[in-house]
Amino acid sequence: MSALKLIETVRNEFLAELEDVGEDLNQIENFRSTYLGRKGKVASLFSLMGKASNEDRPALGNSLNELKTDLTTLFENKVAEVNSSKQKAQDDSIDLSLPSKQQRLGSIHILEQTLSEIKEIYQSIGFHVAYGPEVDDDYHNFTALNIPEHHPARDMQDTFFIDPETVLRTHTSNVQVHLMEEQDPPLRYIVPGRVYRNEAIGYKSYCLFHQVEGIYINERASFGELKGCLEFFVKQMFGPKKNMRFRPSYFPFTEPSAEVDIWDEERKQWMEILGCGMVDPAVLENVGYDPSRFHGYAFGMGVERIAMLKYKINDIRHFYSGDVRFLEQFV
Amino acid sequence: MIISLDWLKEFVDIDESPDQLSDLLSGIGLEAEATSVPTEIPGVIIGKVETAEKHPNADKLKLCTVNDGKQVHQVVCGAPNVDAGQTIAFATVGSILPGKLKIKKANIRGVESSGMICSERELNLSDEHEGIMVLPDNLEPGDDFVSSYGYKYTSVELDITPNRPDAFSHQGVARDIACKTKRYFKQISAEPISEKGNESINISMEDHQDCPRYIGGIVKNVKVGPSPDWLVERLKAVGQRSINNIVDISNYVLMEMGHPTHIFDHDSLKNKSIYIRRAEKGETLTTLDDQKHKLDKRHLLITDGSEPLALAGVMGGANTAVSDHTTKVLVESAYFDMVTIRKSAKSLSMSTDASKRYERGADPNGCETAFWRVIGLLEDIANGELCSEMIDIYPSPIKKEKVNLKRKELDLVLGISIEDAAVDTIFKGLGIHSEKKEEGWECEIPTYRPDISREIDLIEEVARIYGFDEIPADESLYGSFRYTHPDPEKYLDDIRKTLAGCGFHQIYANSLQNENEATLTGYSPVEMMNPLNVEMGYLRTSLLPGLLKAADHNFKHSIQDLRLFELGHVHIQKDKGFENIFEKKYISGVVYGNYRNHSVHSPSSEEDLFTLKGYLNSLFVQKLGMRLDLIKGDSAAFDHSRVVEINRQKVGVMGRISKIWIDSMDLDLDTVFGFEVDLEPLKQMINKKRKFKTINPYPKITRDLNLVMPIEQEVGVLLELFTRKGKKLVTNVKPVDIFLDEDAIGKGMKSVTFSISFQDSSKTLEDKDVNPVIDEIIHVAEKNFLAKLRT
């Protein structure tokens, strides 16, 4: 048999046997030493080199080296394959149906989340955010806003008094007055904050709630712009297809005044979500702005109301209960 | 107020259903909702009771026969007032009453009953259910009930805003509807009636500010009795009970045109004169509702010169009320000052149909129409005869105001240009006389619209009637930007997010607390003059009581482990007066139960002072990059209390919530840990700018060191010292083990193993670099802390 034939035979035997080598480590080691060991079949083939003629020797050497490289590679692949299938078997023995190691997530209150959303929407159209005191004097909460002392409009907001001239603010409009006293127009702000109403507590009303009021004052400002601004808000907050309407209403600090309703498809009725209007000239005058030169619009909304409408929360008291069964629904 | 559709039709055509009309009214600023009065009740027809006998087997039931025009039905009826000959609303078998009640043939106590004779409540017309509804006799049996009679009760309910006194009547609402829909408006006109007699009464007033106008007139020969059906029906349709024809007339005119009038029993006046004045302190008056009021200068009275007769603009007096024996009456139709009436009614906590209208502003020039309307009805339905002139005291008549509207301003405010003709039509429809001028309009405002006195008021009227929906939304952004901080509270987001990431739930608790909760801190709380109840009399001085109550609420609902935080305001009344109220923003939290629960992976581990310290560390050190120290100190709120220092500034407290607090708030919870930090001083620290530091590429090496020291030695001090003495090579020192063993290390001593990390920014460290540092550390520890290297 020629040397080259012998090489081919060893190669074929190797390939045939490689198929049958199992995953047993001893078996694998035996197989390795049979072919690739120091006294293995490949090594013994190298003895043929001595018997080969001078002209055949280089080709034979090449063939032998080729055989050795090939078989070594094939064997290593086989070993890797065996190892990986063993690893897999081991992985499968881990019971990942057991519960995880505990990680507790807390939550940011849904009113805070709703407020953040409101802030982002208005900030995206140039509004700044300002804050102010919850306890204020009668002037900033009422009189400056065109609600004189003996006016039926005072009945619209049941008030907690600290003393006859000091109140828990009934809206965050008091901050608008402070802002206008401190700054010259133009200005464009929203004012979030906690406000208080002396009302019986029930599923619809609580003794306090959170408001976001907005104000824009400039040399030109129109009811059309107010509508544009609030439509932008409603569509951002409730989706671009939300139906809404502006309904004339009355607030002492705006004129014309409107209430905005959105359509509730489930209840088949209009739900009020905010009040707005053009800043009343009397308010501008009270803070020292010239009403013949400046115009403005203002709006106010309850954060609770918006969250209730958006998430179908049926009882305002949930917000203040601190009940984790409520809180963790809004992680 | 309730507005009857049938009544409205006296002034304007109405084709709309109550729902459609409500939408229309809401669209022009008169917020409306259809009432539950049905617009159709299929199967309910007019019937005549032919016979009504006692039920053979029941004392309280009657067995009736009802004729529906075609046939006669046998019906069992339980109403006490059912009688033969009555015309009634008959629910035939198969009809469906409001509330989805279906009428079926029934056997009642052994007798078959086919149908039902209805009460007003069963038809949703009113709450009346004492007996069946008896209808006028002129109705035709067999006709549909609603279309032949029930329609008189269809109505909408209005929520009138305080600026619209004119809309407090059927006439006023009709005027707005006519203006909006461009329909014909038929205004009330009451013709003067000539008197039959020459009686008179002297009328005068103390102050014309309080009572600018007072009209009086005397009517004799009145017959007090029940009102005619049409009047009873009208009042019933707007939710009012009929009293007698005289009282009903006054109420009718009020609902019809919105002007309050009052009718006195003339014979009960001791002095035949009227004097309007403020009450003297200590004077009393018993009003029609039998309430005796103590009066003072705030109250305006109608007197007969000495004795009070009525509380002007609010309610009449009991002594001069019309009774069954009344034959002669004095009719009052007056105009009182808004603020005077408001103060008077408010101080007595009274709100009547009359006061509601006066305090919003009645029409001074409506007095006369209302007067003649009342007189006309007294003659028509109460047999009365006017026997005096109309005595009208109106020293300085209130004139119609003139207000100008500039075209430029109208366009600017609305953002749309409404054509002249449309504006003209709106003014005309509202009764505003307008004249076109070069710059715009000159308008004469009717006195029934006291809310219109400025240009902006006219703009509102135009916009309201034109329709807000017709004004296009302008989606452009105008104006300039400011380069100040866009949200000064943005930094709070980091705090909320970090705590939520640490497993805390944010709560919003009530800021109003009872005295005990509000004073637990020892601070003086802000107290309310008019609290809702004793549980909410004060503003909180700490967020902890609210957090503890929330924690306890959850604990009672089997929540075993919880972390809560709140970010909110507290108020402290440092001294008397508004200027001494201080508002502060706090961040506070509480934790209870397990930090980690028992599981297949690990045993449980409880929340304690160290988990709490960990949360504070995550927030202030890791997230906000500040230095945190906990210093021993006393606080009412805590046992094991520590003062929280941030960047060496005292900002709050932490610890285990004290037993005193838990007991005084009566909590079920036992072990709770908490913290409270004032955010005001932190604000400046937070806004520091961040800067990138080069990443050190050289490896860290770690050495352990065992030191024995007295048990009472705080380890924290050593950690800091090691870092300081570390020649900038020590990057971290942490204690990894504390070992106590009297035999091995001595009594009163502890062995602490420190793991110290070293790193240099310019090279890889070797033993020769690190060893001198360790020697220095040991030296300092031995010298300053009586520590010894453990061998």
Side-chain angles (χ1 to χ4, degrees), chain A residues 98-102 104-109 111-112 115-116 119 123-137 146 149-156 159-164 166 168 183-189 194 196 198-201 206-208 210 216 218-225 227-229 231 245-250 255-259 270 272 278 280-282 291 295 319-325 327-328 331, chain B residues 23 26-31 161-163 339 342-343 346 359-360 409 411-415 451 454 456-460 463-464 468-489 493 496-497 499-512 526-532 536 539-540 550 553-554 557 559 561-566 569 571 573 577-578 581 583 592 594-597 600-601 607:
Chain A
L98 287 171
S100 65
K101 290 185 180 171
Q102 189 183 12
R104 272 154 67 180
L105 267 189
S107 62
I108 292 177
H109 198 280
L111 289 177
E112 196 79 55
L115 173 60
S116 296
K119 283 203 258 184
Q123 283 182 315
S124 77
I125 48 172
F127 281 81
H128 277 198
V129 189
Y131 304 86
E134 289 176 20
V135 183
D136 212 337
D137 53 22
N146 198 31
E149 196 185 341
H150 292 288
H151 194 276
R154 287 224 173 177
D155 292 346
M156 293 167 86
T159 311
F160 286 119
F161 287 90
I162 303 301
D163 62 50
T166 312
L168 296 190
Q183 302 180 14
D184 290 328
L187 51 91
R188 191 178 342 228
Y189 277 98
R194 183 169 280 203
Y196 299 83
N198 195 345
E199 282 173 2
I201 291 176
Y206 200 68
C207 51
L208 58 88
H210 298 81
Y216 171 59
N218 208 339
E219 290 191 344
R220 57 170 288 197
S222 72
F223 194 81
E225 284 167 58
K227 278 189 76 175
C229 169
E231 283 190 16
R245 71 172 184 187
F246 285 76
R247 185 161 52 72
S249 187
Y250 167 74
E255 184 160 358
S257 301
E259 260 162 328
W270 289 103
E272 191 183 311
M278 303 304 293
D280 195 291
H295 293 85
F319 293 120
Y320 322 106
S321 68
D323 194 316
V324 79
R325 295 166 299 177
L327 300 174
E328 68 191 2
V331 170
Chain B
D23 280 349
S26 295
I28 52 173
L30 304 177
E31 195 179 344
T161 52
N163 60 326
V339 175
R342 177 168 166 80
K343 284 187 192 169
K346 189 135 186 139
E359 66 185 38
R360 285 165 167 78
E409 188 72 5
D411 294 355
L412 193 64
V413 171
L414 298 185
D451 58 314
R454 306 169 301 168
I456 192 72
D457 303 325
L458 286 170
I459 296 175
E460 177 181 45
R464 182 172 73 85
F468 284 1
D469 286 337
E470 302 301 315
I471 298 171
D474 183 343
E475 287 167 349
S476 359
L477 270 180
Y478 303 103
S480 50
F481 300 98
R482 290 196 177 203
Y483 298 96
T484 50
H485 200 304
D487 181 358
E489 292 198 348
D493 285 351
R496 284 187 284 259
K497 284 178 188 161
L499 286 176
C502 289
F504 282 77
H505 291 282
Q506 183 186 12
I507 68 160
Y508 271 49
N510 194 346
S511 326
L512 307 178
V526 175
E527 183 181 0
M528 260 160 288
M529 274 173 76
N530 57 335
L532 202 53
M536 300 187 194
L539 281 173
R540 57 186 174 181
H553 167 86
N554 284 296
H557 288 93
I559 309 291
D561 321 296
L562 196 58
R563 296 170 204 147
L564 296 175
F565 80 96
E566 182 170 15
H569 290 133
H571 293 84
Q573 182 91 54
F578 169 55
I581 294 172
E583 182 172 290
Y592 72 80
N594 279 338
Y595 164 75
R596 188 182 62 215
N597 282 321
V600 293
H601 308 293
E607 299 276 10

Side-chain angles (χ1 to χ4, degrees), chain B residues 253-498:
Chain B
V253 173
L254 182 75
M255 296 297 159
E256 179 182 54
M257 56 176 290
H259 197 90
T261 55
H262 186 67
I263 302 178
F264 296 93
D265 175 32
H266 187 264
D267 294 332
S268 322
L269 305 185
K270 285 192 192 125
N271 293 324
K272 305 297 178 201
S273 79
I274 290 291
Y275 182 60
I276 301 111
R277 63 162 169 85
R278 294 290 183 114
E280 297 296 335
K281 195 170 170 62
E283 254 184 309
T284 60
L285 173 70
T286 303
T287 42
L288 281 170
D289 54 359
D290 283 328
Q291 297 294 311
K292 188 173 177 180
H293 304 284
K294 274 193 180 166
L295 307 173
D296 55 48
K297 276 279 174 211
R298 290 173 296 180
H299 308 111
L300 187 67
L301 289 176
I302 314 293
T303 71
D304 63 358
S306 58
E307 293 297 304
L309 306 176
L311 199 54
V314 184
M315 198 181 275
N319 284 340
T320 52
V322 170
S323 74
D324 292 349
H325 312 293
T326 299
T327 56
K328 196 193 250 186
V329 295
L330 169 70
V331 175
E332 162 198 299
S333 178
Y335 172 70
F336 302 108
D337 175 61
M338 296 159 68
V339 175
T340 309
I341 299 305
R342 177 168 166 80
K343 284 187 192 169
S344 168
K346 189 135 186 139
S347 72
L348 297 170
S349 300
M350 290 175 83
S351 175
T352 62
D353 282 332
S355 74
K356 266 187 233 163
R357 286 161 176 88
Y358 279 126
E359 66 185 38
R360 285 165 167 78
D363 177 10
N365 298 321
C367 295
E368 206 177 322
T369 321
F371 176 80
W372 289 120
R373 190 81 180 116
V374 170
I375 300 295
L377 287 165
L378 283 171
E379 296 209 343
D380 286 352
I381 64 174
N383 194 47
E385 279 181 316
L386 182 66
C387 58
S388 76
E389 288 185 312
M390 176 182 87
I391 303 147
D392 184 3
I393 309 300
Y394 194 13
S396 28
I398 294 164
K399 291 201 188 85
K400 292 183 181 179
E401 273 199 66
K402 286 222 163 100
V403 182
N404 292 328
L405 170 62
K406 292 187 291 292
R407 158 57 75 184
K408 213 177 99 195
E409 188 72 5
L410 177 68
D411 294 355
L412 193 64
V413 171
L414 298 185
I416 180 185
S417 194
I418 299 171
E419 47 189 90
D420 283 356
V423 176
D424 292 339
T425 313
I426 289 168
F427 285 151
K428 191 160 171 259
L430 294 173
I432 296 169
H433 179 80
S434 70
E435 223 174 286
K436 193 83 187 66
K437 299 278 172 176
E438 197 181 323
E439 286 210 308
W441 293 264
E442 186 184 88
C443 300
E444 200 178 63
I445 312 301
T447 48
Y448 54 78
R449 290 301 302 268
D451 58 314
I452 305 177
S453 61
R454 306 169 301 168
E455 187 174 37
I456 192 72
D457 303 325
L458 286 170
I459 296 175
E460 177 181 45
E461 290 307 299
V462 173
R464 182 172 73 85
I465 301 295
Y466 185 75
F468 284 1
D469 286 337
E470 302 301 315
I471 298 171
D474 183 343
E475 287 167 349
S476 359
L477 270 180
Y478 303 103
S480 50
F481 300 98
R482 290 196 177 203
Y483 298 96
T484 50
H485 200 304
D487 181 358
E489 292 198 348
K490 187 76 187 150
Y491 75 100
L492 298 176
D493 285 351
D494 281 346
I495 295 178
R496 284 187 284 259
K497 284 178 188 161
T498 306

Side-chain angles (χ1 to χ4, degrees), chain A residues 10 37 40 73 77 79 89 99 106 119 143 150 180 203 208 261 271-272 303 329:
Chain A
V10 170
T73 309
N77 286 349
V79 170
K119 283 203 258 184
T143 315
H150 292 288
M180 291 190 282
Y203 74 99
L208 58 88
D261 299 334
M271 305 294 291
E272 191 183 311
V303 182
Q329 293 185 37

Side-chain angles (χ1 to χ4, degrees), chain A residues 80-147:
Chain A
E81 192 184 302
V82 166
N83 280 343
S84 112
S85 85
K86 275 195 182 154
Q87 184 64 40
K88 258 187 204 146
Q90 216 165 25
D91 285 351
D92 289 344
S93 73
I94 296 173
D95 180 3
L96 264 170
S97 70
L98 287 171
S100 65
K101 290 185 180 171
Q102 189 183 12
Q103 297 295 333
R104 272 154 67 180
L105 267 189
S107 62
I108 292 177
H109 198 280
I110 188 60
L111 289 177
E112 196 79 55
Q113 295 182 37
T114 308
L115 173 60
S116 296
E117 224 178 315
I118 297 171
K119 283 203 258 184
E120 273 168 32
I121 294 169
Y122 285 111
Q123 283 182 315
S124 77
I125 48 172
F127 281 81
H128 277 198
V129 189
Y131 304 86
E134 289 176 20
V135 183
D136 212 337
D137 53 22
D138 179 276
Y139 177 79
H140 285 89
N141 192 72
F142 289 122
T143 315
L145 291 160
N146 198 31
I147 316 175

Side-chain angles (χ1 to χ4, degrees), chain A residues 59-78:
Chain A
L60 182 62
N62 279 345
S63 298
L64 281 171
N65 280 330
E66 197 181 318
L67 177 74
K68 193 179 174 187
T69 315
D70 284 357
L71 297 199
T72 305
T73 309
L74 284 166
F75 176 76
E76 278 170 1
N77 286 349
K78 177 72 183 180

